Amino acid sequence: MTLVIKDLTKQYTKQKAGLIDYSITIDKGILGLLGPNGAGKSTLMKIIATISKPTKGTLFLDGEDIVNNPNYIRKILGYLPQDFGVYPNLNAYEFLEYIAAMKGVGGADLRKRIDILLDGVNLTADAKRPIGSYSGGMKQRIGIAQALLNDPKVLILDEPTVGLDPEERVRFRHLLTDLASDCIIILSSHIVSDIETIADQVAVMQSGRLITKGFLPDIIKHAEGKIFEVLIDKSALSDFKLKYQVISTSRQNEYTRVRYLCQHAEVAPNSTPVTATLEDAYLFLTPNTK
Ligand SMILES: Nc1ncnc2c1ncn2[C@@H]1O[C@H](COP(=O)(O)OP(=O)(O)OP(=O)(O)O)[C@@H](O)[C@H]1O
């Protein structure tokens, strides 16, 4: 299963574009979309989910044009939008049965499937409570469950980890890993560590454009050899920031330990090279966002 996207542009207004000449090929597995606010992540996901039409460009799923034939993907799609609204008076069973009816999912196994999904998102114990009484993280989890109801082959999750606590994040990761061998999964996040632990491949985006896409180690390679740490006097930090892109700082006795990106300038004296992370590579690839 392959989704081939070519030269996609979404022009919202004359001045405002959500995506600009965006091309990417997406295979089975988990692709994480990483990018700052306004990068175009939601725009891309909405177009793939066929709830928004591109201004220009093409999307082919296994050779089938899904702009002109959206039902081809809708039948096999699970989608969690960023602003997922729930029906406060329904409990989890009623809500999932309602969504199942809308998606045309039924049959004798429906209740069993709902039970499995509720267990997968850890909501079994709360399944008979009205959704309106759920916490933000619980609402997010019921949103994930509804996206999985029809056993999708293409799963699109816009900021799915918002509101999930660390334990739920791990559970969510396992849930997706189980599905990923047979499915295209596309998820977005601002949280680099979530993408790092969940995704197989990453697409780094900025201002409506694809900066790069690849497996995690290949993305991290962009920053290799460019990341250093050094201990400096606290009073020297503001001058240091003028010369280098500081990634993080921490206090160490009377000094400040600085992790920084060194690209064009000479490495600061007494620096130690350190292993690059996805966060470093992300900052390197999208330099004007922090
Ligand atoms: N309906 C709309 N009308 C006009 N401009 C829009 C609309 N939706 C999005 N945009 C603009 O398109 C650009 C991309 O927005 P998009 O929501 O796709 O980015 P994003 O990467 O998902 O950002 P965030 O992480 O903040 O959700 C932004 O500049 C945004 O302001």
Side-chain angles (χ1 to χ4, degrees):
M1 178 169 267
T2 307
L3 179 63
V4 181
I5 296 176
K6 273 217 180 103
D7 303 327
L8 208 60
T9 293
K10 176 73 186 184
Q11 199 71 44
Y12 283 112
T13 63
K14 253 187 183 163
Q15 282 82 23
K16 194 67 132 177
L19 288 174
I20 304 161
D21 289 331
Y22 192 101
S23 298
I24 193 169
T25 297
I26 304 171
D27 295 308
K28 276 182 193 171
I30 306 176
L31 175 72
L33 305 181
L34 197 55
N37 288 326
K41 304 180 294 294
S42 297
T43 300
L44 177 65
M45 294 179 134
K46 283 182 199 162
I47 292 174
I48 300 172
T50 72
I51 58 164
S52 173
K53 276 204 176 251
T55 312
K56 85 175 177 60
T58 56
L59 288 92
F60 283 88
L61 180 64
D62 291 339
E64 194 68 40
D65 177 347
I66 60 165
V67 177
N68 292 318
N69 181 12
N71 285 341
Y72 185 77
I73 191 166
R74 284 177 187 163
K75 283 185 287 190
I76 53 165
L77 178 78
Y79 177 45
L80 173 70
Q82 197 171 20
D83 45 5
F84 171 68
V86 286
Y87 299 68
N89 299 322
L90 302 184
N91 69 32
Y93 280 117
E94 291 162 343
F95 173 66
L96 292 178
E97 278 162 7
Y98 177 74
I99 298 290
M102 288 209 299
K103 287 189 172 185
V105 179
D109 285 345
L110 178 61
R111 184 65 182 227
K112 206 165 127 202
R113 174 138 189 89
I114 289 177
D115 280 333
I116 292 169
L117 285 172
L118 287 172
D119 182 55
V121 296
N122 200 21
L123 280 175
T124 305
D126 298 287
K128 291 191 174 149
R129 267 172 54 194
I131 295 174
S133 70
Y134 281 10
S135 69
M138 291 165 82
K139 284 181 185 154
Q140 192 71 345
R141 276 142 58 198
I142 194 78
I144 293 165
Q146 65 78 30
L148 295 172
L149 251 180
N150 55 335
D151 199 9
K153 293 285 169 259
V154 178
L155 180 61
I156 298 176
L157 304 164
D158 201 346
E159 301 275 352
T161 56
V162 168
L164 300 191
D165 63 28
E167 204 179 308
E168 292 304 337
R169 285 186 146 74
V170 173
R171 186 180 269 269
F172 174 62
R173 192 167 77 223
H174 289 154
L175 193 67
L176 290 194
T177 313
D178 287 348
L179 294 166
S181 61
D182 198 30
C183 210
I184 288 177
I185 302 179
I186 305 167
L187 61 93
S188 67
S189 180
H190 292 95
I191 305 166
V192 178
S193 58
D194 275 357
I195 296 285
E196 195 161 25
T197 50
I198 297 171
D200 308 315
Q201 294 199 59
V202 184
V204 180
M205 299 172 60
Q206 190 175 29
S207 308
R209 296 181 191 273
L210 178 68
I211 307 290
T212 187
K213 176 210 168 212
F215 287 94
L216 284 169
D218 298 327
I219 300 292
I220 293 170
K221 263 189 202 144
H222 286 277
E224 250 167 37
K226 301 183 179 78
I227 311 297
F228 297 86
E229 279 187 5
V230 66
L231 280 182
I232 60 170
D233 202 84
K234 199 176 151 205
S235 60
L237 186 59
S238 37
D239 277 352
F240 193 92
K241 281 184 175 168
L242 294 176
K243 196 161 176 195
Y244 301 103
Q245 189 179 353
V246 171
I247 295 166
S248 62
T249 59
S250 58
R251 272 186 55 192
Q252 190 161 328
N253 303 322
E254 70 269 37
Y255 293 103
T256 301
R257 177 175 291 281
V258 183
R259 185 183 183 94
Y260 69 99
L261 177 75
C262 183
Q263 234 190 119
H264 305 301
E266 263 187 36
V267 175
N270 303 317
S271 296
T272 317
V274 290
T275 309
T277 63
L278 183 61
E279 175 107 48
D280 298 329
Y282 175 54
L283 291 177
F284 170 72
L285 292 163
T286 57
N288 302 318
T289 57
K290 292 257 157 113

